[in-house]
Amino acid sequence: MSRDLSELSIAERRAVILERIAGAAKWARRDATDISFVAVSKQQPDAHIQEALDAGHRVFGENRVQEAQTRWGETFADQRQELELRLIGPLQTNKTLDAVKLFDVIETLDRMKLAGAIVNAAEKTGKMPELFVQVNIGAEDQKSGVLPGELPAFLQSLKTEYDITPSGLMCIPPFHEAPSPHFWVLSDLAAQHGLEKLSMGMSADYATAIKMGATHVRIGSAFLGAR
Ligand SMILES: *Cc1c(COP(=O)(O)O)cnc(C)c1O
C-alpha cells in the first residue's frame, strides 16, 4: 500500500520511491536499472524542482510545451544539458517545432498528421526525438491516443509513410477503473509489436505498473507534492 510521503522532504521521497521501484522490480524478477523514474514537474513551484535537481533527479516529464519551455528553457536552462525531458501531454501540430527543439522524447504520438509534423520539425532542427505512441487504452471519448484496435494499422502507416518505428507505448488508464487490466493490455500490445518500452503507472499505481512491465513510470504528486 502506498505510504503517505507528504511529511518527507523531496530528497527523502525520492529515496522511498526508488526503493519501492526496486521492490516491485525484484517481485517481477526484473532489473531495477531497466526502470526509469520520470518526475512529472508540471505545475510545480521552482523550489520543488530545485530540490529534485539537488537530490540528483535528472529525468522529467511535462504535459504542456509552453510551460516546459519556460521551466527548462529559461528558469533551469543551465541544467538542461544534464537532463532527459519527456513530453507526456497531448501535442498540437502548431507546437511541434518547439516540442522537437525542447524534448528528448515525445510520448504522445497519436495521429499521422502529428507524425508528419514531427518529421518536418526533425528535418528543420536536425534532431529527431525518441517517440512513444499513446494508446487510448480505455477507449475514452475525452482522452487522446490511438485506439487499441487501430494500433496495428497506425504502426504500419508510421513505418510505410515516414519510416518511423516508435520505441514504446504509453497510456493513462481510465481514472475510475482498476489500472491493472489496462496495464496488461498495453504490455501485451507492446509485445505483439516488438516494442520494448512501456510508459505506464503514476503516483498511485507505479508499483503495479512495474510488475506488469512498465519501463517508465511517471510520478508527479507523490514525489514533488500535490498540485
Ligand atoms: C500529471 C501526469 C502524471 C503524474 O500524475 P501523478 O498522479 O501526480 O503522479 C503522469 N502522467 C501524465 C500523462 C500526467 O499528465
Side-chain angles (χ1 to χ4, degrees):
M1 279 288 93
S2 48
R3 239 168 89 194
D4 179 14
L5 308 181
S6 58
E7 300 297 312
L8 304 180
S9 71
I10 282 175
E12 287 166 336
R13 280 182 229 158
R14 181 168 185 270
V16 171
I17 291 167
L18 286 171
E19 236 174 75
R20 268 193 94 196
I21 289 173
K26 191 167 181 222
W27 184 95
R29 297 170 190 271
R30 300 179 54 199
D31 195 332
T33 59
D34 292 338
I35 296 151
S36 175
F37 166 12
V38 181
V40 178
S41 39
K42 66 180 183 200
Q43 297 167 38
Q44 293 289 348
D46 294 343
H48 292 189
I49 309 293
Q50 188 62 59
E51 278 186 63
L53 290 166
D54 291 345
H57 209 83
R58 294 292 177 265
V59 184
F60 292 88
E62 291 280 354
N63 72 337
R64 286 171 190 269
V65 175
Q66 209 174 334
E67 183 187 339
Q69 279 178 313
T70 305
R71 181 170 294 118
W72 302 112
E74 296 172 22
T75 315
F76 296 103
D78 56 333
Q79 309 274 331
R80 174 65 190 97
Q81 284 313 312
E82 294 178 38
L83 306 176
E84 178 180 300
L85 297 183
R86 310 177 66 95
L87 179 65
I88 61 171
L91 178 56
Q92 292 170 284
T93 320
N94 63 3
K95 301 254 174 73
T96 308
L97 186 59
D98 288 337
V100 166
K101 282 182 185 160
L102 183 65
F103 291 99
D104 302 298
V105 185
I106 294 175
E107 295 198 9
T108 49
L109 174 57
D110 62 353
R111 55 200 193 279
M112 288 305 291
K113 190 177 170 210
L114 180 58
I118 290 172
V119 167
N120 281 339
E123 276 164 11
K124 276 193 193 127
T125 57
K127 171 178 176 257
M128 182 63 165
E130 186 184 341
L131 300 172
F132 282 44
V133 170
Q134 182 174 2
V135 177
N136 185 354
I137 200 75
E140 295 171 282
D141 286 338
Q142 76 282 12
K143 217 163 254 173
S144 41
V146 179
L147 290 169
E150 291 169 3
L151 184 67
F154 185 69
L155 292 172
Q156 187 61 53
S157 302
L158 285 178
K159 182 80 196 151
T160 52
E161 286 187 40
Y162 298 113
D163 198 24
I164 288 176
T165 304
S167 54
L169 301 178
M170 175 270 205
C171 79
I172 310 168
F175 188 73
H176 294 290
E177 293 179 24
S180 320
H182 297 290
F183 292 157
W184 277 126
V185 172
L186 195 74
S187 182
D188 195 46
L189 285 170
Q192 279 174 37
H193 296 285
L195 304 175
E196 286 183 0
K197 298 182 184 174
L198 276 175
S199 172
M200 57 187 198
M202 318 201 298
S203 287
D205 52 26
Y206 64 90
T208 305
I210 289 166
K211 292 176 181 176
M212 298 179 180
T215 59
H216 293 75
V217 288
R218 310 178 307 262
I219 304 173
S221 47
F223 178 34
L224 300 171
R227 292 180 295 270

